[in-house]
Amino acid sequence: MSKIATDFGIDKALKSLGIQAINNGTSTGDHNFSSGEAIASYSPVDGALIAKVRTSSRDDYEKVMAAATEAFKTWRLKPAPQRGEIVRQFGDKLRMMKEPLGKLVSYEMGKSYQEGLGEVQEMIDICDFAVGLSRQLHGFTMHSERPGHRMYEQYHPLGAVGIISAFNFPVAVWAWNTALAWICGDVCVWKPSEKAPLCGVACQNIAAQVFKANGLPEGISCLVNGDYKVGELMTHDRRMALISATGSIRMGKIVAQAVAARLGKSLLELGGNNAIIVTPDADIKMTVIGAVFGAVGTAGQRCTSTRRLIIHESIYDKVKEAVVTAYHQLRIGNPLDQHNHVGPLIDTDAVAMYQKALEKVVAEGGKLVIEGGAMAGEGYESGCYVKPAIAEAQPHFEIVQHETFAPILYLLKYSGEVENAIAIQNGVVQGLSSAIMTNNLREAERFLSVAGSDCGIANVNIGTSGAEIGGAFGGEKETGGGRESGSDAWKVYMRRQTNTINYTTELPLAQGIKFDL
């Protein structure tokens, strides 16, 4: 292990999670179906090799699907509250493993340790939500137009749910899907990001312990590792009743086409190009806090990261100065050190993308207010660290229309009424998260109205980044239209059925048709 890993107890965390560091293969439970080539997981924190994980071949995938489909036959018959009890136990296990799993998330993905712990807490929270929901999977009863008939709707499990997750939230997004799918009676097959495979192994090990302790088939929770080829096996597989995919818009369009071709169901959580509107009536202090955290948290690698700050011309210079001052106070470095605010990007490819974006905005006529740039030297040996950058730009710039998964914030100016700012905000293909900073009730209500923000998430005096478990999470337009987590998002993991019961001795036919025998 590297010095950073040793100093911060990563070796102990891995051991407690059932992972052997720097190994040629990693077990994913009692039965390791993986026999493919090994993929190595390197930490963006210090560039060190953490461990290697075997990928899943086509034959391995078939074994996994056989286990999953067989387990579904048992799991779907358990009453939902009993399934909720299993999820409760899983949540308790997560409470016990919060510290080591949070450290692994931080070290393998690069987000701050506090964010790593927060991500595990999201897993715990969705388990709690799902446990309560397991006793509320309600249908509806409606009056029939025919005498002596009762009509109602109910929901049944779908079957196998395929989950394809991204590196930026390597455990929480899986849990958002899995906890709900489990209480709905589904089984889950998960392909974690190949950039953070150990987080997937750790979660699978924890889940496997719970299912084994309860004498349940391990096929209820399955893991397949690999690149896009494994994802293709999932998206084209008719046995996958639902594919939940999180990632780029480009990836989402490929998944959507493949699943639609077999008339399957998909839940897509794709890119975001999120904006905060700052009106003349905004609280500047709150604005700076929301904008800075939204732009640099997780090094700008959240789908809800703040990319655009749309500021009224009357306060533009004041807001710009306040944000720039705040940026000068940021500390960049080892995310396991809680004194630092910003950790690394996921890999050097992400750094190259960040640098191209900065070159692009200047080439289009923008001006760098905080120049940014890659960092080198002691503490930055991994080559994944960059400085958060700020650029003055125009809404129509191609690079501004594009989502760059890095800490780059574009300052945009608007004049006139708030409707002009809303038009700028809505003038991109993405539609995930949005926010307005104002103490003007009329402006806030316009922003939230039918003619306001076109995003799936719209906040007032709160930034774009972050979401509560109780609300449905997702976006519109090319963000995919999916909804995960709270509210009634559970319905996507079930199939809807309308039932009619005739408790008379007669059989009335529709439209008054007579058919006497």
Side-chain angles (χ1 to χ4, degrees), residues 256-273:
Q257 291 176 31
V259 177
R262 59 179 176 85
L263 297 181
K265 295 184 178 182
S266 60
L267 190 168
L268 302 175
E269 297 287 359
L270 310 176
N273 193 351

Side-chain angles (χ1 to χ4, degrees), residues 370-438:
I370 297 287
E371 291 190 357
M375 304 185 71
E378 185 178 354
Y380 308 116
E381 291 85 355
S382 70
C384 298
Y385 290 87
V386 301
K387 300 175 184 177
I390 299 177
E392 292 183 298
Q394 296 295 325
H396 65 272
F397 284 3
E398 182 182 355
I399 191 62
V400 175
Q401 295 280 317
H402 177 75
E403 178 194 37
T404 302
F405 230 50
I408 302 175
L409 179 64
Y410 301 113
L411 303 185
L412 310 175
K413 186 185 296 184
Y414 83 95
S415 59
E417 299 299 317
V418 72
E419 286 83 0
N420 297 331
I422 293 172
I424 294 172
Q425 179 209 274
N426 293 348
V428 295
V429 298
Q430 308 88 350
L432 179 53
S433 187
S434 59
I436 187 170
M437 293 293 183
T438 182

Side-chain angles (χ1 to χ4, degrees), residues 127-369:
C127 284
D128 288 349
F129 180 87
V131 172
L133 188 62
S134 69
R135 295 180 181 272
Q136 301 179 67
L137 301 178
H138 54 75
F140 296 94
T141 300
M142 59 281 291
H143 290 283
S144 172
E145 64 185 29
R146 291 168 288 190
H149 286 62
R150 182 165 69 89
M151 187 164 58
Y152 66 97
E153 291 180 345
Q154 62 177 330
Y155 290 84
H156 294 303
L158 280 176
V161 172
I163 302 167
I164 301 173
S165 63
F167 72 84
N168 59 333
F169 281 85
V171 296
V173 171
W174 168 73
W176 284 7
N177 285 272
T178 299
L180 297 190
W182 280 346
I183 62 102
C184 288
D186 300 319
V187 297
C188 296
V189 180
W190 178 26
K191 191 198 90 64
S193 170
E194 59 269 34
K195 297 182 180 183
L198 298 179
C199 286
V201 172
C203 291
Q204 175 68 7
N205 286 345
I206 295 171
Q209 293 174 23
V210 174
F211 289 116
K212 183 178 180 180
N214 287 273
L216 292 167
E218 68 172 358
I220 297 169
S221 179
C222 297
L223 184 75
V224 286
N225 274 303
D227 58 14
Y228 72 94
K229 294 178 182 178
V230 176
E232 287 180 344
L233 292 176
M234 297 171 67
T235 56
H236 289 88
D237 193 340
R238 292 184 179 275
R239 293 168 295 183
M240 288 290 188
L242 171 70
I243 293 291
S244 175
T246 303
S248 68
I249 291 173
R250 182 191 65 81
M251 181 274 284
K253 288 181 177 180
I254 295 171
V255 170
Q257 291 176 31
V259 177
R262 59 179 176 85
L263 297 181
K265 295 184 178 182
S266 60
L267 190 168
L268 302 175
E269 297 287 359
L270 310 176
N273 193 351
N274 316 295
I276 297 177
I277 295 172
V278 188
T279 80
D281 289 313
D283 183 313
I284 303 300
K285 182 179 179 180
M286 288 178 61
T287 297
V288 172
I289 293 172
V292 174
F293 174 74
V296 309
T298 323
Q301 296 174 114
R302 294 185 177 208
C303 52
T304 56
S305 290
T306 304
R307 311 285 178 202
R308 299 173 294 150
L309 202 58
I310 305 170
I311 311 166
H312 192 269
E313 60 182 359
S314 65
I315 56 169
Y316 181 86
D317 290 337
K318 184 177 182 180
V319 173
K320 179 178 76 170
E321 180 182 359
V323 173
V324 168
T325 299
Y327 265 54
H328 285 310
Q329 300 172 36
L330 295 174
R331 291 187 294 272
I332 307 164
N334 173 14
L336 291 162
D337 182 344
Q338 296 185 49
H339 291 93
N340 293 323
H341 300 111
V342 184
L345 294 178
I346 187 64
D347 55 26
T348 53
D349 288 341
V351 174
M353 177 183 63
Y354 156 88
Q355 291 175 317
K356 288 180 180 178
L358 293 181
E359 293 170 2
K360 178 72 171 174
V361 71
V362 172
E364 290 194 72
K367 176 183 177 184
L368 294 177
V369 180

